[in-house]
Amino acid sequence: MDERRTVCVVVTARPSYARVRTVLEALKARRDVTLQVVAAASALAERYGKVADVMAAEGFAPDAVVASLVEDHGVLNMPETTAQGLSGTAAVFADLAPDLVVTVADRYETLATAVAAAYMNIPLAHLQGGEVTGNIDEKVRHAVTKLADMHLVSGPGAAARVARMGERPEAIHETGCPSLDVARQAIEAGKRLPDDALYARFGQSGGRPDLSDGYIVVMQHPVTTSHDAAHAQITETLDAVRNLDQSVLWFAPNVDIGADATARAIQEYRAAHRLDHVHFMDNMPPEDFIRLLADSHGIVGNSSVAIRECAWLGIGAVNIGDRQSGRDRGPNVVDVGYDAAAIRAAITAMGQDRMAPSELYGDGWAGPRIAAILATAPLRFEKRLTY
């Protein structure tokens, strides 16, 4: 009798793959697991770097794909993508017949994975539950927690919140965040990303970046609960960096409602102002991105990478607005509003000095821990909440 457990990991977006990749590596190396990988939604989109191709190149070619991404329909983007994802994911699960499904974090596409698994009586494991973020992500994350049967959380605060939500203590596993594993691997491989690699990626946006005086990284996503303000919000950040005396390496936003307004604001601003020191790009492999961060003077925007990986790296972070509201944060983070002067002042105050690293989100070895739990923990799909 084959005792190998079939574990199906669903990747729906660029950040999801970065967070789960070391789990995939550890699962693939185990003899008691048959790994299945499903790519869906923006993981298949050229516009967002087509992460499915990166996955295949790194040894995780998808066993199935779900082309569920709906774009350019305003507020309908997320519900329509989720609806199509639910239908497509259910069909994939029926074909692959996994013993266990794994979903990651709090993006809206994860709802499709969670609902499909729950209604098909397939045990569901959820990574990064119990965290507080604000935004629509807050609702999605906790909804997935209630649908999940196994909880792989990043730290003690998250574990306590999941327990207070009525989940069984024996189903809650404090593992650390696997995105820190990527950071550890990248640093071990060599801290500095070669200039030639940077020039090859960022030169396409106009000229070779001059990195002699250092650089900052900008990654700012639209806030789904205030998407009507996306244009104005990103313009404040553009105003803040316009006259900086160092290079700015700016990454495209996630595929969330408001992303089009954010992109349009950037295009309009570039047409109206000289931004020779600001270089734009869509995507970069996770290790390269971490090495880029590690050699930077800090990160600006509202990405969770500023809260998680940069805390572990000791990299300063200027967090703008309320997208990460309530999330546990280390001493590396300074919070500011959507105000160009305040953002500029925080960037200036951030300086170039490293801070003491924080293990608030783990120690960089979460992947093997999570894989061991996925491979061996008892499976169940029936639950009764503790009230």
Side-chain angles (χ1 to χ4, degrees):
M1 180 177 178
D2 187 1
E3 296 182 357
R4 293 169 66 92
R5 179 174 292 181
T6 301
V7 179
C8 179
V9 180
V10 182
V11 177
T12 61
R14 175 182 65 191
S16 299
Y17 178 58
R19 289 173 183 165
V20 79
R21 198 189 66 187
T22 62
V23 178
L24 297 177
E25 292 171 346
L27 286 171
K28 188 175 182 179
R30 295 187 66 96
R31 296 182 177 180
D32 54 355
V33 167
T34 297
L35 174 63
Q36 298 172 335
V37 181
V38 175
S42 64
L44 303 175
E46 295 282 358
R47 179 180 176 183
Y48 300 101
K50 200 172 183 183
V51 177
D53 287 350
V54 177
M55 294 162 56
E58 295 181 347
F60 303 108
D63 295 275
V65 298
V66 180
S68 56
L69 180 63
V70 176
E71 298 186 80
D72 302 325
H73 286 184
V75 295
L76 293 177
N77 284 10
M78 293 192 289
E80 288 186 344
T81 296
T82 304
Q84 293 196 24
L86 174 56
S87 176
T89 303
V92 164
F93 290 164
D95 182 52
L96 295 180
D99 297 314
L100 174 67
V101 167
V102 180
T103 193
V104 184
D106 56 7
R107 288 191 55 79
Y108 59 93
E109 306 98 330
T110 63
L111 273 177
T113 304
V115 173
Y119 276 125
M120 297 176 73
N121 293 337
I122 304 171
L124 176 69
H126 181 210
L127 273 63
Q128 299 182 342
E131 298 180 19
V132 179
T133 57
N135 198 12
I136 186 62
D137 300 346
E138 180 91 355
K139 294 181 179 180
V140 172
R141 187 188 299 268
H142 299 327
V144 174
T145 290
K146 301 316 298 176
L147 290 165
D149 306 287
M150 188 185 301
H151 311 279
L152 304 149
V153 302
S154 297
R161 294 184 196 103
V162 171
R164 289 202 300 271
M165 291 170 69
E167 297 300 307
R168 295 175 290 108
E170 63 271 22
I172 304 169
H173 308 272
E174 186 181 329
T175 62
C177 177
S179 62
L180 297 190
D181 300 11
V182 178
R184 175 186 55 77
Q185 291 174 340
I187 299 306
E188 289 175 352
K191 182 176 180 182
R192 182 176 175 80
L193 191 66
D195 286 348
D196 287 347
L198 288 176
Y199 296 152
R201 292 188 173 99
F202 287 95
Q204 59 183 314
S205 62
R208 288 168 63 93
D210 180 4
L211 307 178
S212 58
D213 293 324
Y215 59 87
I216 63 169
V217 174
V218 175
M219 182 178 283
Q220 184 167 335
H221 307 298
V223 180
T224 55
T225 50
S226 57
H227 60 90
D228 291 342
H231 190 288
Q233 290 169 353
I234 203 69
T235 299
E236 292 294 328
T237 306
L238 287 160
D239 281 339
V241 306
R242 178 182 171 189
N243 295 313
L244 284 181
D245 57 1
Q246 59 183 320
S247 290
V248 177
L249 306 183
W250 191 303
F251 285 83
N254 281 342
V255 53
D256 291 332
I257 181 173
D260 288 340
T262 299
R264 185 170 64 253
I266 293 172
Q267 292 171 355
E268 294 170 356
Y269 201 95
R270 294 177 69 182
H273 303 281
R274 289 185 63 88
L275 294 173
D276 294 339
H277 66 303
V278 184
H279 302 268
F280 299 86
M281 77 170 303
D282 292 333
N283 193 28
M284 178 179 281
E287 294 94 340
D288 287 353
F289 182 64
I290 291 298
R291 293 166 70 188
L292 182 78
L293 279 175
D295 205 42
S296 74
H297 290 170
I299 186 170
V300 178
N302 60 9
S303 170
S304 63
V305 71
I307 310 293
R308 295 176 184 276
E309 289 92 332
C310 287
W312 187 82
L313 291 166
I315 302 295
V318 177
N319 179 63
I320 303 171
D322 57 358
R323 187 172 186 269
Q324 302 297 337
S325 178
R327 190 187 288 274
D328 296 334
R329 66 229 309 118
N332 68 307
V333 178
V334 173
D335 294 294
V336 298
Y338 301 106
D339 178 80
I343 298 168
R344 176 69 181 267
I347 293 172
T348 301
M350 187 164 54
Q352 303 178 20
D353 296 332
R354 291 288 179 268
M355 298 184 173
S358 167
E359 292 192 355
L360 180 64
Y361 286 95
D363 60 0
W365 294 96
R369 292 191 194 104
I370 291 172
I373 295 166
L374 295 175
T376 62
L379 298 182
R380 53 188 299 180
F381 56 81
E382 295 179 354
K383 70 190 309 185
R384 186 178 298 275
L385 305 182
T386 301
Y387 295 98

